[in-house]
Structure formats: structure tokens, C-alpha cells
């Protein structure tokens, strides 16, 4: 068993886009796996579908079209999820399984991606999906950081719950290694971090290696070519150039909640280069000769361009070989440069296909990167089978204008970057912070070449010609039926001006950056909208509504159904803020099952993003069950807990003695260990709250706990001066809305009594003069009423009408 017992934390990666379908029995079996029985035997009934789809499945064209149609087109789907509908993505695969195998679908309880499936096996419970891998589903609202409800519901209204509503980062602890692996392989009780997809994990690995001052773009030169590079800003914004042709994919960064990754995939990579070598260059017998010929040709752009797609390319969507040479009499004129080209079947003497395909592949990368990023790349880390070719390295540097690096160090040839990235995520999670370079790291990014400034300038100047010709090739050769659909831009409901969605990861970022978190209670739609306009970070649907909104004597009298009613109203007004709802008294106290059931109802029916529980360390098992069993974030609440105020001797400050203060510290540490993402500290001495805040690694939200917590929350009705039964000492009234309401209502009553409201011609509606005259005549004839322009005689007229009510139907004039 060797080093197994010394392992402290486990992370990893798996192929993207594949999915695993659990039965209800499978979910239950996970937690009871025995190290004495083979895993295969114990999981016989765990899956509803034995042949799960993976990234190679491209049979979902129909379902892709349905996804795009449901949100208003391919560009709209790209704006929402980071990608147009892609046949290999998980969302369309899930939709097809439901359509074609409904009996299997009915037996499916939960759905994992391959990465979260591995995490589930390791922890013995369904693991959350990480944001980066969720980006490869076409179901993630990528900017908001949660499943897109409309897209998921279009497949099945249960899908969000089947996938798991809680999403995490790839360096987030998701539990401990299950007893199965401890018993069978001698592991200790080590932690497990969320597994992610192979591409995001590879990027985590590269980004952790020292030797380069910039966050590098990763260029994998394999059977297909792939480019991964970081984005500080989401590229698919309304009116952006990237949204005009939304090729490639945008993913959430695996460990940084503020950044994204762009992923460009080119099917015609090394296989296309090999095809040129074997098919178009019979005189060339080796890659060494291929490189020598390419080197002798030197730079071709803008004299000549070649486009080599022996297989149907992903971007551009073209198949075939296309060559162009600059010619003063050519019939193709590039508008920006005015240079003329002609299409040729073969190049002239001195122009080689070997050089042309290399330049073409890297110029395509340059064009597509600039659409997403807007500026040039700073550094390139090259990997894959062709990464050691010096010519490819230099042309890449010259075209893209960035220094090229390779991984150097012990055993670099055996380094699996996705696995290494998973290990880096686990190490960073265990150490409690990210390290630019892990201790004892045996790898380094070593620079192998720099761009030639003069060459890069020439390539840059030729880029507009290349892009124009590539677009011409695509428009002339793409399947005609797809031309109008591929880049249709529909911007329905795309509110680019809205602030980004606040998620748990945003809250963690505020906490890590030392920025105080603003939280406010809300009980209805108008209050939620007001909080949204103010930019409040978190909105709490607190059970204090029992007193301030429903008039009860204390908070214990509100029911779960009442809380969900108000929670739904708040959710309709909350677009960006993170929404937490209280679980009321009696809904989580009995046992773990009751707690999980109530939490699921609050998320599913109340539309909450997290739940809050008023409880100390005795509730830790229930919190653990909600967080790790149901995948629902939990906010703790200690100190003065209004639900149980009677047991505390009333609404009293807690923690005023050393023993009581220590008890609060113990409660806070227990809730953090159980999985709370944040804890409310209510009515306790500032010194005690500061101690708890400094001991924890999660944010604390104070209410009557001083200014040294991670954030603050107040009851809306208290801080606005609306609730008048009592005002807590800790509450600051930021407005006196209550007295203003009293004055306004009194003024309203007086205006009604004096008939000053409504004012004719200001607050009223009128008929046209002809219709008004006709109506007066009609009323006089049928009811005997003389209508006036004022209120005089109104009471007398009402009495007369009552005494002389018509016995027959009125005659309506034409």
C-alpha cells in the first residue's frame, strides 16, 4: 500500500461531455460500499443506462436544433451558455436519451458527468459538478454560474435536481475518501476535491507551473489541434464581434470564479499535416524533410495562402483543399488591403504546401483568438505529439506574436497534464490557498523561442487577407442549408447592462479580497427589486417575516409553505443577488431526512439558491446531509437564534461569559466542518465575533456582532423604520419610511374625504365629447339621472337612483 496512507488530498480529471445515469438504488448503494466486495459487484444495479454517451457521440443534431430554437437561435444560446449547440455536448445527449429511451429515463434518479462520477465513487455520495465541466453541456448559464432553468426545463422539469443544483469550483473540497477505498487500499481519511474535465484540468496544471510571467495559452498539437487561453471578460456580449461568428467554446475557469477559458478545437491538426506529407508531397519521406522544405520556403503570407481540411472542419465548417495566390489580375479583391488573389489548383514553383499548411493553421488560431480575447496572446505553452518540432514552434511564435514554452523537468515525457492539474487543485485546496509554484515542483515552463518582430509584423498585416479568404471559402463551400442558421444573431432579453450574477464563488472572492459583504432581508417582490437596484450582494428571505410581514409574536409560527410563498416572490425580483431562504422552526430539527426534504422543497418550490439554519454543533449531521447529500449550500446561524429564543431566555445577547463565548466558537467550527459556506453571527460581543471570524476560513455575516465580521445583514423593516413594535439596539435606521407612510396614508384619507382625490382631468379618464353627450342622454332617458361635472348633488342622485331603479333593461342608443 506504500504511500497511500500518506496521501492528504485527491483531485483529478476525466474526459469532458460524457454522462452517467444513476438509479435511486445506485445513489443509496454509494454510501454503503464495502472494501471486501469488488466494486463491480456492488454497482450492478447502480445505473439505469449501461452504455453511456461520451464526447465521440455526434448523433444529436435534432436535439441541438431544439436547444437553439428554445432560446431564440444559435447566437442567443452561445451568449447564454458559451457555445452554440454542439452535438458532442452533454445537454443534447441527455435530451436524446429521454426521447429515445423513456423507460431508462424514468428509472434515472441522478445524472453525473464523468468527472463528477469519479468524485462520487471516491466520496461515496453524489458529487457536485464543477463549473468548468458544466460549461460543456449547453445547459449552464455561464455568466450567472448556475443551470439555465429554461433550457433544463425544456428537457425535463426535474433536470436541475437530477444534475444537482449546487455547482462548485475544481479546487473545492467535496468530502472525504469513502470507507471502501480506505479499507481496500489503505488510504487515510483524506479529502477529495471536485474532479473536472481534462481540458480545464490541463490548464490548471500549466498555470501552476513557474517559469513564465504571464498566464499562458495552451496549444496542444495532437491528432487535432486545441487552443486554451484565459479570458478576463466574457466575450459573447451584445454587439461583440465574437458573437457574430460564435465558433469555439467558452468555459468557466476551473478555479478562478472571475475568469473564463476560451477553447478552440481544430479537427484537422497533425492528421492534416500528415495527409499533406503523404498525399501532396511524394518527394518527402520524413518529418525532417517536411521541415526542411518548409524552412526553405520561408514566409508565404501574403503571397499565398492554403486551407487544408481533408476532414470536415469544426471552424470553419468546411471540407476540401483551397489555395490562393496573390496576382495583380486576380478576380478576388480583399476590401481592406485592396490586394488581388486568384484561386489555383496547385501552387506555383517555390511555394510549398508544407509551409502553407503550417502558416494556415496558426493564422486560423490567431484570427479566432483575437475574436474572443480582443488582444494578442502573451505566452504559448505547447504540448502534444508535434510540440517538439522546432519549425512549428518558431512559426507559431512569429504568427501569434508570443514566446513559446515547453514543460521541462524530471520525467516531463511521462507528465499527464490533466492528472497533474487535478493534483495541483487538490494540493491548493489542502494548503488553503493557491500557490503560483508548488513546493518541490519538478517542472518548469522553459522558453524555446521568441517571435521575430519583423516576421510577426508581416503576418499581422496579412491577417486581414487570410481572414477574408477563409470566410470566402466557408461561404462558398459550407452546406447551403446551414448558411443562414449558423450565424443568426438574436438578442432577445439579453441584458448586457446587468451586473454579473452573484454566486457562492463571488461571495468567496469578496471574502478572500477582504471586501465586506452586504446582505439584506426581503420578503416580497418590490423589496427584492429595491435590493437588486442597490446592488446588495445577498438577499435573505428570513423567517423574521413571521413578525414584520405576517404579524406573529415570534418567528416560530411561520410555516414552510408560507416561507416558500414569500421566497418565490423574492426570487422573481432577484436577478443578480445571491438568494438565501430560512428553513423555519420545526422543518429540520427531527432528523437528517426531514432536513434534506425541507431544503429540497425550499430550493425546488421556493426557488432559493441556498438555505439558512439556526443551529449549533448539534445540527452538524443535518447540515452535512443537506450540503453533501442533496448538494444544497447551507448558511449557518449562531448566537441569538430567534427560533429558539425562549430556550435562551428571550432575545438576549449571547457569549457574554468565557464559557458561552467558547461554546459559540465550538459551534462555528463545527458548522464550518459540516459544510456551511457562511455563518450568521447574531447578538454577541464584537470581540467574540472577531475571534470566530479570524478562526474560520468562510465568511461571517454579522447582525449585532460588531464591524469586524466579513459582512453585515439587517432586517429591511427595521433599517427602513417600518416595524415599530421594537427596534434592536444593533439596528441603525437608514430611513424613516414608517413615519412617511403614516403621513402619506393620513394625507390620502383626507384627500378622499374632501374629494380632492382623484382630481378630475388629472387622475381620471374621459370620453370623447360626442360619446359623452350621447351617454348623458342615455342615462337621463333610462335612469332619470342628470350627470354633472362636479360632486354637488351626488348623494341626492344616488338616493334617487336607488328609489327609482328600472325594472326593465335600458335602451342603448346607437
Amino acid at each position: 500500500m506504500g504511500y497511500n496512507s500518506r496521501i492528504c488530498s485527491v483531485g483529478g480529471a476525466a474526459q469532458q461531455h460524457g454522462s452517467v445515469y444513476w438509479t435511486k438504488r445506485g445513489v443509496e448503494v454509494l454510501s454503503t460500499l464495502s472494501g471486501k466486495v469488488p466494486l463491480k459487484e456492488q454497482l450492478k444495479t447502480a445505473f439505469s443506462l449501461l452504455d453511456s454517451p461520451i464526447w465521440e457521440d455526434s448523433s444529436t443534431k435534432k436535439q441541438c436544433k431544439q436547444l437553439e430554437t428554445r432560446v431564440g437561435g444559435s447566437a442567443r444560446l452561445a451568449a447564454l451558455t458559451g457555445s452554440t449547440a454542439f452535438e458532442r455536448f452533454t445537454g443534447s445527449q441527455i435530451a436524446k436519451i429521454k426521447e429515445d429511451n423513456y423507460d431508462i429515463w424514468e428509472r434515472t434518479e441522478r445524472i453525473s458527468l464523468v468527472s463528477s462520477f469519479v468524485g462520487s465513487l471516491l466520496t461515496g455520495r453524489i458529487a457536485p459538478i464543477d463549473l468548468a465541466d458544466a460549461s460543456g453541456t449547453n445547459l449552464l448559464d455561464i455568466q450567472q454560474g448556475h443551470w439555465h432553468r429554461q433550457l433544463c426545463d425544456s428537457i425535463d422539469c426535474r433536470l436541475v435536481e437530477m444534475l444537482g443544483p449546487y455547482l462548485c469550483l475544481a479546487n473545492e473540497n467535496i468530502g472525504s475518501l469513502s470507507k471502501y477505498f480506505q479499507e481496500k487500499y489503505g488510504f487515510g481519511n483524506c479529502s477529495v476535491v471536485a474532479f473536472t474535465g481534462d481540458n480545464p484540468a490541463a490548464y490548471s496544471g500549466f498555470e501552476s507551473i513557474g517559469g513564465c510571467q504571464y498566464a499562458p495559452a495552451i496549444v496542444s498539437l495532437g491528432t487535432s489541434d486545441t487552443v486554451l487561453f484565459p479570458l478576463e471578460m466574457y466575450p459573447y456580449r451584445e454587439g461583440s464581434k465574437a458573437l457574430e461568428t460564435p465558433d469555439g467554446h467558452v468555459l468557466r475557469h476551473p478555479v478562478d470564479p472571475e475568469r473564463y477559458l476560451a477553447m478552440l478545437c481544430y479537427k484537422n491538426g497533425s492528421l492534416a499535416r500528415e495527409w499533406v506529407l503523404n498525399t501532396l508531397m511524394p518527394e518527402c519521406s520524413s518529418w525532417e524533410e517536411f521541415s526542411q522544405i518548409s524552412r526553405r520556403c520561408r514566409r508565404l503570407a501574403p503571397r499565398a495562402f492554403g486551407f487544408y481540411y481533408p476532414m470536415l472542419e469544426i471552424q470553419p465548417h468546411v471540407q476540401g483543399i483551397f489555395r490562393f495566390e496573390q496576382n495583380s489580375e486576380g478576380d478576388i479583391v480583399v476590401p481592406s488591403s485592396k490586394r488581388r488573389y486568384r484561386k489555383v489548383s496547385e501552387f506555383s514553383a517555390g511555394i510549398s504546401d508544407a509551409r502553407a499548411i503550417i502558416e494556415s493553421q496558426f493564422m486560423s488560431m490567431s484570427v479566432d483568438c483575437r475574436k474572443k480575447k480582443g488582444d494578442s496572446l502573451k505566452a504559448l505553452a505547447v504540448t502534444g505529439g508535434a510540440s517538439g518540432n522546432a519549425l512549428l514552434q518558431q512559426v507559431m511564435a512569429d504568427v501569434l506574436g508570443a514566446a513559446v514554452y515547453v514543460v521541462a523537468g524530471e520525467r516531463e515525457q511521462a507528465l499527464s497534464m490533466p492528472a497533474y492539474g487535478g493534483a495541483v487543485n487538490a494540493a491548493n485546496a489542502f494548503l488553503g490557498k493557491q500557490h503560483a509554484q508548488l513546493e518541490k515542483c519538478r517542472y518548469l515552463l522553459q522558453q524555446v523561442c521568441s517571435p521575430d518582430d519583423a516576421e510577426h509584423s508581416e503576418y499581422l498585416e496579412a491577417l486581414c487577407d487570410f481572414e477574408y479568404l477563409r470566410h470566402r471559402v466557408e461561404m462558398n463551400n459550407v452546406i447551403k442549408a446551414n448558411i443562414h442558421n449558423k450565424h443568426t444573431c438574436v438578442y432577445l432579453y439579453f441584458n448586457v447592462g446587468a451586473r454579473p450574477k452573484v454566486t457562492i464563488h463571488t461571495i468567496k472572492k469578496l471574502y478572500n479580497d477582504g471586501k465586506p459583504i452586504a446582505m439584506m432581508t426581503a420578503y416580497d417582490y418590490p423589496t427584492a427589486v429595491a435590493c437588486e437596484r442597490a446592488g446588495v450582494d445577498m438577499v435573505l428571505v428570513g423567517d423574521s417575516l413571521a413578525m414584520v410581514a405576517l404579524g406573529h409574536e415570534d418567528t416560530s409560527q411561520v410555516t414552510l409553505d408560507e416561507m416558500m410563498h414569500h421566497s418565490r416572490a423574492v426570487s422573481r425580483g432577484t436577478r443578480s443577488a445571491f438568494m438565501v431562504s430560512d428553513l423555519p422552526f420545526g422543518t429540520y430539527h427531527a432528523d437528517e431526512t426531514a432536513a434534506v426534504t425541507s431544503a429540497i422543497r425550499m430550493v425546488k418550490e421556493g426557488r432559493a439558491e441556498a438555505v439558512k439554519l439556526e443551529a449549533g454543533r448539534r445540527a452538524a449531521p443535518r447540515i452535512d446531509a443537506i450540503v453533501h447529500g442533496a448538494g444544497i449550500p447551507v448558511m449557518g446561524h449562531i448566537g441569538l437564534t430567534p427560533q429558539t429564543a425562549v430556550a435562551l431566555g428571550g432575545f438576549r445577547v449571547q457569549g457574554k461569559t468565557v464559557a458561552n463565548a467558547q461554546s459559540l466558537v465550538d459551534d462555528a467550527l463545527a458548522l464550518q466542518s459540516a459544510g456551511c459556506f457562511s455563518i450568521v453571527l447574531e447578538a454577541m460581543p464584537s470581540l467574540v465575533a472577531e475571534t470566530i471570524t479570524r478562526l474560520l476560513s468562510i465568511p461571517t455575516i454579522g447582525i449585532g456582532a460588531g464591524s469586524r465580521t466579513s459582512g453585515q445583514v439587517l432586517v429591511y423593516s427595521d433599517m427602513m423604520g417600518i416595524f415599530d413594535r421594537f427596534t434592536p439596539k444593533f439596528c441603525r435606521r437608514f430611513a424613516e419610511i414608517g413615519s412617511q407612510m403614516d403621513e402619506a396614508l393620513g394625507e390620502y384619507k383626507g384627500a378622499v374625504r374632501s374629494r380632492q382625490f382623484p382630481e378630475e382631468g388629472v387622475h381620471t379618464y374621459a370620453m370623447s365629447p360626442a360619446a359623452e353627450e350621447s351617454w348623458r342622454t342615455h342615462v337621463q332617458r333610462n335612469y332619470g339621472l342628470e350627470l354633472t361635472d362636479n360632486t354637488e348633488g351626488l348623494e341626492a342622485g344616488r338616493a334617487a337612483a336607488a328609489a327609482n331603479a328600472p325594472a326593465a333593461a335600458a335602451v342603448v342608443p346607437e
Side-chain angles (χ1 to χ4, degrees), residues 241-283:
K241 186 176 181 181
L243 201 55
E244 295 174 8
T245 54
D247 293 320
H249 314 293
V250 179
L251 315 174
R252 288 294 290 260
H253 191 285
V255 297
D256 187 341
E258 301 300 319
R259 288 195 294 163
Y260 299 86
L261 287 181
M263 184 168 72
L264 306 174
C265 301
Y266 303 93
K267 190 182 295 186
N268 292 279
S270 285
L271 283 182
R273 293 187 287 272
E274 187 173 354
W275 182 87
V276 169
L277 171 68
N278 295 333
T279 307
L280 303 181
M281 304 179 66
E283 76 285 1

Side-chain angles (χ1 to χ4, degrees), residues 353-430:
D353 286 305
R355 181 76 186 199
I357 187 174
I358 295 172
E359 290 188 4
S360 176
Q361 289 178 333
F362 293 134
M363 291 184 82
S364 272
M365 292 179 188
S366 181
V367 166
D368 296 328
C369 286
R370 288 172 184 275
K371 287 180 182 178
K372 300 280 188 299
K373 193 171 175 63
D375 57 1
S376 59
L377 302 172
K378 303 295 185 183
L380 306 167
V382 62
T383 184
S387 61
N389 186 297
L391 174 69
L392 294 182
Q393 293 170 352
Q394 189 60 57
V395 176
M396 183 192 308
D398 293 343
V399 171
L400 292 164
V404 175
Y405 295 77
V406 296
V407 176
E410 295 182 26
R411 302 187 305 276
E412 62 265 26
Q413 296 301 321
L415 179 62
S416 168
M417 195 53 72
Y420 182 75
V424 167
N425 292 339
N428 285 329
F430 180 75

Side-chain angles (χ1 to χ4, degrees), residues 13 158 517 696:
R158 299 183 300 135
I517 299 161
L696 298 182

Side-chain angles (χ1 to χ4, degrees), residues 2-274:
Y3 291 99
N4 290 3
S5 61
R6 295 170 56 188
I7 293 174
C8 301
S9 186
V10 177
Q15 62 174 232
Q16 289 186 266
H17 314 310
S19 47
V20 179
Y21 299 80
W22 298 91
T23 61
K24 184 176 182 179
R25 174 61 180 158
V27 174
E28 296 168 349
V29 163
L30 266 178
S31 61
T32 61
L33 295 175
S34 169
K36 298 177 182 179
V37 182
L39 202 58
K40 180 179 178 181
E41 294 298 320
Q42 298 179 74
L43 294 176
K44 276 184 177 179
T45 60
F47 311 110
S48 57
L49 180 65
L50 297 182
D51 297 318
S52 295
I54 61 172
W55 67 272
E56 292 181 296
D57 177 24
S58 58
S59 65
T60 58
K61 184 176 181 179
K62 171 188 171 185
Q63 288 75 23
C64 286
K65 183 64 178 176
Q66 291 171 344
L67 286 176
E68 292 183 338
T69 300
R70 282 176 183 128
V71 295
S74 59
R76 172 63 178 159
L77 186 67
L80 288 171
T81 70
S83 175
T84 58
F86 198 58
E87 291 183 2
R88 301 174 190 273
F89 273 25
T90 321
S92 56
Q93 295 175 355
I94 291 173
K96 184 179 180 182
I97 287 170
K98 181 184 177 182
E99 286 182 28
D100 296 352
N101 301 281
Y102 193 73
D103 57 328
I104 289 175
W105 183 259
E106 283 293 284
R107 290 188 283 111
T108 300
E109 180 76 8
R110 294 291 300 270
I111 301 174
S112 296
L113 299 186
V114 179
S115 56
S116 64
F117 164 70
V118 179
S120 301
L121 287 180
L122 291 175
T123 59
R125 54 191 174 196
I126 299 296
I129 296 171
D130 84 287
L131 281 164
D133 216 4
S135 306
T137 64
N138 275 136
L139 297 175
L140 179 74
D141 189 327
I142 192 166
Q143 292 189 86
Q144 307 299 332
H146 55 68
W147 299 116
H148 191 278
R149 177 65 70 168
Q150 179 186 353
L151 285 167
C152 290
D153 285 355
S154 72
I155 297 174
D156 192 289
C157 62
R158 299 183 300 135
L159 186 54
V160 170
E161 284 67 39
M162 294 169 80
L163 291 166
Y166 176 66
L167 296 163
C168 62
L169 293 174
N171 61 352
E172 190 167 325
N173 194 323
I174 58 171
S176 300
L177 206 59
S178 72
K179 291 182 179 179
Y180 172 85
F181 291 96
Q182 294 182 42
E183 293 174 358
K184 190 171 181 68
Y185 299 108
F187 285 97
N189 187 29
C190 62
S191 62
V192 179
V193 300
F195 276 50
T196 186
D198 48 5
N199 286 305
Y203 192 82
S204 287
F206 272 107
E207 201 169 39
S208 72
I209 298 176
C212 179
Q213 67 181 104
Y214 303 106
I218 313 304
V219 182
S220 175
L221 302 178
T223 302
S224 58
D225 290 343
T226 303
V227 186
L228 276 170
F229 55 94
L231 298 170
E232 301 300 324
M233 185 181 297
Y234 187 62
Y236 292 150
R237 304 177 304 281
E238 184 175 6
S240 67
K241 186 176 181 181
L243 201 55
E244 295 174 8
T245 54
D247 293 320
H249 314 293
V250 179
L251 315 174
R252 288 294 290 260
H253 191 285
V255 297
D256 187 341
E258 301 300 319
R259 288 195 294 163
Y260 299 86
L261 287 181
M263 184 168 72
L264 306 174
C265 301
Y266 303 93
K267 190 182 295 186
N268 292 279
S270 285
L271 283 182
R273 293 187 287 272
E274 187 173 354

